Amino acid sequence: MEWDWDFAWSIMPTLLAGFRITLIATFLGAIVAAVLGLVFAILRRSSNRWLSRGTSFVVEFIRGTPLLVQLYFIFYVLPDLGLRLPALMAGVIGMGLHYATYAAEVYRGGIESVPRGQWEAARATNLTTRQTWLHVILPQAVPPMIPAMANYLLAMFKETPLLSAITVLELMNQAKSVANSSYRYVEPMTLVGVMFLIVSLLSVIALRWLERRYGRVSQ
Amino acid sequence: MGDWAGYLTLILQGAWVTVKLTLMGSALALVVAFLAGLGRISHHAPIRWLSTAYIEFFRGTSIFVQLFWIYFVLPMTGAELTPMQAGVMALGLNVGAYGAEVVRGAILAVPRGQHEACIAVNLTRWQRLRHVILPQALPLMLPTFCNNAIELLKATSVVSLISLSDMTFQAQVVRSQTGSTLMPFVTILVLYFAMSSAISFGMRRIERRVTRGLDGVR
Amino acid sequence: MKKCLIALVLVAAPLPALADKLDDLKEQGYVRIAIGNEPPYTAVASDGKVSGAAPDVARAVFERLGIKDLEASIAEYGAMIPSLQAGRVDAITAGLFMKPERCQAVAYSEPILCDAEALLLPKGNPKGFKSYADIANDPAAKLGAPGGGTEEKLALDAGVPRDRLIVVPDPQSGLKMVQDGRIDAYSLPVLSLNDLLKKSGDANLEVFAPVEGAPVYCDGAAFNKKDTALRDAFDVELAKLKESGEFASIVEPYGFSAQAAMSTTRDQLCAAQ
């Protein structure tokens, strides 16, 4: 068994096609996570106890069970209940839902990091709720969230290979299909690893910059 | 559906594999996390570089890639690993890399004054770490370790992809043999949730023990 | 780090050939085999016991060789040959059909299980698919097949583009995807699809068999290239099993034709294009 450069080059186009899907899935999943996470965070703050507790339970449940099983569930069980999603969309929703529970925590941490005095001051100066959020709370709450969010974005990116289990032809699946027809695992798996590593290392540099720029939210 | 009770036993066997993977993986991750975490703040540059390389490599490449590498490529070099060993190794090394950053962060979070006080009273490096720094850093690490342990539990489902018969894998087998999709998946979702709840519960107990007596300080 | 690992792989390349694999296995008392998760080739009972035509034949032959136990691990088709090469298993007995390029990669025994290819379709075959080429010619049609399996290769060769050829992880998922309309057809060997359809009891589906233009394939037990001595020993006992009629009594209850396997040879199948 040895490393074959010609073979490695010959499979690059296939792998890059998969890499494109990986990036699309990550990007769309991140949007779903950011929006749903906000919904979870708001529902959790609700004054209706049943609503906030119910949301907490759902969030805990999603966080406590593997994404892989959730994906299987969305892809194979939901059609029985009348909801049939295309593979990529099922994957995006599954990843988005899973990471929304993490995003919700970041939102909560960010909002709670704003000192009580700021709320009281806003009330004392007679600001409306809208003004309080837009001009006082969010400008202070959002910046420390950014590095934490970026961190989860990276984590989600690294979990995209799970989508291969529900037939999405992303990077890992392309690599497997190459391995299947050539019986060679070394080149495709190594190249996939290298691609992940390159993106991660670049992201780590970007992340350090974000942390310096916006500080860290303590969770 | 047929012999549902029999197939449930099969899933429970898988659950046992999942528990073993989680425990052994966590143990390995803990050791590695402390080694690499302390290594990153070592005075010796080569140790620092090595630790950084390990952490960035395992955090940077996806666990799937690591798993496939350890499972399919390492054996060709002559390293014979059983699927269980390969699974524990991938999980432990991966989560350990995340844990190392936690260890480093917690130790650096102990106020500088504490380090300086130790030097002033002439403690050795080991005494400093053992009696002053770690007792204060440990409570800071625990909540994140708890999350890491749950992440590791969830990551065990991935080993089903290298045909280690964990819970997810057994659910797939049951699904093929019975033709029922809903039951096996709902069953394992509930079991996973029970396990992660058990981890949080256990960790909270430990946390209470470790923080006992520190209330006045913090 | 990565570079180091690659270097390590390069340096330590081929494992020293084990002196006598058969003796080692006898001493060990069991043989590790890779199987698929695909009845009737393989079945896993509710107590976890592995049966099915492929493991049953392997069990009978290995017993005659003096190895009492099978340790079976279920794998995807694509992962089987790499598992064998990585030394994870000693043999593959999974309905992994003999094809020239596979004969290059592994050492096959003489033929064991023979089957034609089939398509699982909605009742009445509304789109009239009879061959892989029919699916290739319909720009909207999607075909499901196991990754790394024979069907995937046949479909690709017939011109089905990669993006319309869905890699389905296991038969149950394939069935589900046809039921849910995610794919228009799912391709597996005839007996597998018959078993799958029977178990599902779904009256809205049917099996079209055999797929036109697709040959009848036979599998054999696959061994690592360096274990040809073990393979030869396996062949000797397999031949005796076939002669005594015990072979037929094992495979026929599962629906396989013993005659088909006995009327062809590895050399023919490996040479076939």
Coordinates of all heavy atoms in Angstrom, one line a residue, chain C residues 22-60:
Chain C
L22 N -4.4 -20.9 8.4 CA -5.4 -21.9 8.8 C -5.0 -22.4 10.2 O -5.9 -22.5 11.0 CB -5.4 -23.0 7.8 CG -6.4 -24.1 8.0 CD1 -7.8 -23.5 8.1 CD2 -6.3 -25.2 6.9
D23 N -3.7 -22.7 10.4 CA -3.4 -23.1 11.8 C -3.7 -22.1 12.8 O -4.2 -22.4 13.9 CB -1.9 -23.5 11.8 CG -1.6 -24.8 11.1 OD1 -2.6 -25.5 10.9 OD2 -0.4 -25.1 10.7
D24 N -3.4 -20.8 12.5 CA -3.7 -19.8 13.4 C -5.2 -19.7 13.8 O -5.5 -19.6 14.9 CB -3.3 -18.4 12.9 CG -1.7 -18.3 12.7 OD1 -1.1 -19.1 13.4 OD2 -1.3 -17.4 12.0
L25 N -6.0 -19.8 12.7 CA -7.4 -19.8 12.9 C -7.9 -20.9 13.8 O -8.8 -20.8 14.7 CB -8.2 -19.7 11.6 CG -8.0 -18.4 10.8 CD1 -8.7 -18.6 9.5 CD2 -8.5 -17.2 11.5
K26 N -7.4 -22.1 13.5 CA -7.7 -23.3 14.3 C -7.4 -23.1 15.7 O -8.2 -23.4 16.6 CB -7.0 -24.5 13.8 CG -7.7 -25.3 12.6 CD -7.0 -26.5 12.3 CE -7.3 -27.0 10.9 NZ -6.3 -27.9 10.4
E27 N -6.2 -22.6 16.0 CA -5.8 -22.4 17.3 C -6.7 -21.4 18.0 O -7.1 -21.5 19.2 CB -4.4 -21.9 17.3 CG -3.6 -22.1 18.6 CD -2.2 -21.8 18.4 OE1 -1.6 -22.4 17.5 OE2 -1.7 -20.9 19.2
Q28 N -7.0 -20.3 17.3 CA -7.9 -19.3 17.8 C -9.3 -19.7 18.0 O -10.0 -19.3 18.9 CB -7.8 -18.1 16.7 CG -8.6 -16.9 17.0 CD -8.4 -15.9 15.9 OE1 -7.5 -15.2 15.8 NE2 -9.4 -15.9 15.0
G29 N -9.8 -20.7 17.2 CA -11.1 -21.3 17.4 C -12.2 -20.6 16.7 O -13.3 -21.0 16.7
Y30 N -11.9 -19.4 16.0 CA -13.0 -18.8 15.3 C -12.4 -18.0 14.1 O -11.2 -17.8 14.1 CB -13.8 -17.8 16.2 CG -13.0 -16.7 16.7 CD1 -12.9 -15.5 16.0 CD2 -12.4 -16.8 18.0 CE1 -12.1 -14.4 16.6 CE2 -11.6 -15.7 18.5 CZ -11.5 -14.6 17.8 OH -10.8 -13.5 18.3
V31 N -13.3 -17.7 13.2 CA -12.8 -16.9 12.0 C -13.7 -15.7 11.9 O -14.9 -15.8 12.2 CB -12.9 -17.8 10.7 CG1 -14.3 -18.4 10.6 CG2 -12.5 -17.0 9.5
R32 N -13.1 -14.6 11.6 CA -13.9 -13.3 11.5 C -14.4 -13.1 10.1 O -13.6 -13.1 9.1 CB -13.0 -12.1 11.9 CG -12.6 -12.2 13.4 CD -11.4 -11.2 13.6 NE -10.3 -11.5 12.7 CZ -9.4 -10.6 12.4 NH1 -9.4 -9.4 12.9 NH2 -8.4 -10.9 11.6
I33 N -15.7 -13.0 9.9 CA -16.2 -12.8 8.6 C -17.0 -11.5 8.5 O -17.5 -11.0 9.5 CB -17.1 -13.9 8.1 CG1 -18.3 -14.1 9.1 CG2 -16.3 -15.2 8.0 CD1 -19.4 -15.0 8.5
A34 N -17.0 -10.9 7.3 CA -17.8 -9.7 7.1 C -19.1 -10.1 6.4 O -19.0 -11.0 5.4 CB -17.0 -8.7 6.2
I35 N -20.2 -9.7 6.8 CA -21.4 -10.0 6.2 C -22.2 -8.7 5.9 O -21.9 -7.6 6.5 CB -22.3 -10.9 7.0 CG1 -22.6 -10.3 8.4 CG2 -21.6 -12.2 7.2 CD1 -23.6 -11.1 9.2
G36 N -23.2 -8.8 5.0 CA -24.0 -7.6 4.7 C -25.2 -7.7 5.7 O -25.4 -8.6 6.4
N37 N -26.0 -6.6 5.6 CA -27.2 -6.6 6.4 C -28.4 -6.8 5.4 O -29.2 -5.9 5.3 CB -27.3 -5.3 7.2 CG -28.4 -5.3 8.2 OD1 -29.1 -6.4 8.4 ND2 -28.7 -4.2 8.8
E38 N -28.4 -8.0 4.7 CA -29.3 -8.1 3.6 C -29.8 -9.5 3.5 O -29.2 -10.4 3.0 CB -28.5 -7.8 2.3 CG -29.4 -7.7 1.1 CD -28.6 -7.3 -0.1 OE1 -27.7 -6.5 0.0 OE2 -28.8 -7.9 -1.2
P39 N -31.0 -9.8 4.1 CA -31.7 -11.1 3.9 C -32.0 -11.3 2.5 O -32.3 -10.3 1.8 CB -32.9 -11.0 4.8 CG -32.8 -9.7 5.6 CD -31.8 -8.9 4.9
P40 N -32.0 -12.5 1.9 CA -31.7 -13.8 2.6 C -30.2 -14.2 2.6 O -29.8 -15.2 3.0 CB -32.5 -14.8 1.8 CG -32.4 -14.2 0.4 CD -32.3 -12.7 0.5
Y41 N -29.3 -13.3 2.0 CA -27.9 -13.6 2.1 C -27.4 -13.7 3.5 O -26.6 -14.5 3.9 CB -27.1 -12.5 1.3 CG -27.3 -12.5 -0.1 CD1 -28.3 -11.8 -0.7 CD2 -26.4 -13.2 -0.9 CE1 -28.5 -11.9 -2.1 CE2 -26.6 -13.3 -2.3 CZ -27.6 -12.6 -2.9 OH -27.8 -12.6 -4.2
T42 N -27.9 -12.8 4.3 CA -27.6 -12.7 5.7 C -28.8 -12.5 6.5 O -29.7 -11.7 6.1 CB -26.7 -11.5 6.0 OG1 -25.8 -11.3 4.9 CG2 -25.9 -11.7 7.3
A43 N -29.0 -13.1 7.6 CA -30.1 -12.8 8.5 C -29.6 -12.7 9.9 O -28.6 -13.4 10.3 CB -31.2 -13.8 8.4
V44 N -30.1 -11.8 10.7 CA -29.7 -11.7 12.1 C -31.0 -12.0 12.9 O -32.0 -11.2 12.8 CB -29.2 -10.3 12.5 CG1 -28.8 -10.3 14.0 CG2 -28.0 -10.0 11.6
A45 N -31.0 -13.0 13.7 CA -32.2 -13.4 14.5 C -32.3 -12.4 15.7 O -31.4 -11.7 16.0 CB -32.1 -14.8 14.9
S46 N -33.5 -12.5 16.3 CA -33.7 -11.6 17.4 C -32.8 -11.9 18.6 O -32.6 -11.0 19.4 CB -35.2 -11.6 17.9 OG -35.5 -12.9 18.3
D47 N -32.2 -13.1 18.6 CA -31.2 -13.3 19.7 C -29.8 -13.0 19.3 O -28.9 -13.3 20.0 CB -31.3 -14.8 20.1 CG -31.0 -15.7 19.0 OD1 -30.7 -15.2 17.9 OD2 -31.0 -17.0 19.2
G48 N -29.7 -12.3 18.1 CA -28.4 -11.9 17.7 C -27.6 -12.9 16.9 O -26.5 -12.7 16.4
K49 N -28.2 -14.1 16.7 CA -27.5 -15.2 16.0 C -27.5 -14.9 14.5 O -28.5 -14.5 13.9 CB -28.2 -16.5 16.3 CG -27.4 -17.7 15.8 CD -28.1 -19.0 16.2 CE -27.4 -20.3 15.7 NZ -26.8 -20.3 14.4
V50 N -26.4 -15.1 13.9 CA -26.2 -14.8 12.5 C -26.6 -16.0 11.6 O -26.0 -17.1 11.9 CB -24.8 -14.3 12.1 CG1 -24.6 -14.2 10.6 CG2 -24.6 -13.0 12.8
S51 N -27.5 -15.9 10.7 CA -27.7 -17.0 9.8 C -27.8 -16.4 8.4 O -27.2 -15.4 8.1 CB -29.0 -17.8 10.2 OG -30.1 -16.9 10.1
G52 N -28.6 -17.0 7.5 CA -28.6 -16.6 6.1 C -27.7 -17.5 5.3 O -26.8 -18.2 5.8
A53 N -28.0 -17.5 4.0 CA -27.3 -18.5 3.1 C -25.8 -18.3 3.2 O -25.1 -19.3 3.3 CB -27.8 -18.3 1.7
A54 N -25.3 -17.1 3.1 CA -23.8 -16.9 3.0 C -23.1 -17.4 4.3 O -22.2 -18.2 4.2 CB -23.4 -15.5 2.6
P55 N -23.5 -16.9 5.4 CA -22.8 -17.4 6.7 C -23.0 -18.8 6.9 O -22.1 -19.5 7.4 CB -23.4 -16.5 7.8 CG -24.1 -15.4 7.1 CD -24.5 -15.8 5.7
D56 N -24.2 -19.4 6.5 CA -24.4 -20.8 6.8 C -23.5 -21.7 6.0 O -22.9 -22.7 6.5 CB -25.9 -21.2 6.4 CG -26.8 -20.8 7.5 OD1 -26.4 -20.2 8.6 OD2 -28.1 -20.9 7.4
V57 N -23.2 -21.3 4.7 CA -22.3 -22.1 3.9 C -20.9 -22.0 4.5 O -20.2 -23.0 4.7 CB -22.3 -21.6 2.5 CG1 -21.2 -22.3 1.7 CG2 -23.6 -21.9 1.8
A58 N -20.6 -20.7 4.9 CA -19.2 -20.5 5.4 C -19.0 -21.3 6.7 O -18.0 -21.9 7.0 CB -19.0 -19.0 5.7
R59 N -20.1 -21.3 7.6 CA -20.0 -22.0 8.8 C -19.7 -23.5 8.6 O -18.9 -24.1 9.2 CB -21.3 -21.9 9.6 CG -21.2 -22.4 11.0 CD -22.5 -22.0 11.8 NE -22.6 -20.7 12.2 CZ -23.6 -19.8 12.0 NH1 -24.7 -20.3 11.4 NH2 -23.6 -18.6 12.5
A60 N -20.5 -24.1 7.6 CA -20.3 -25.5 7.3 C -18.9 -25.8 6.8 O -18.3 -26.8 7.2 CB -21.4 -25.9 6.2

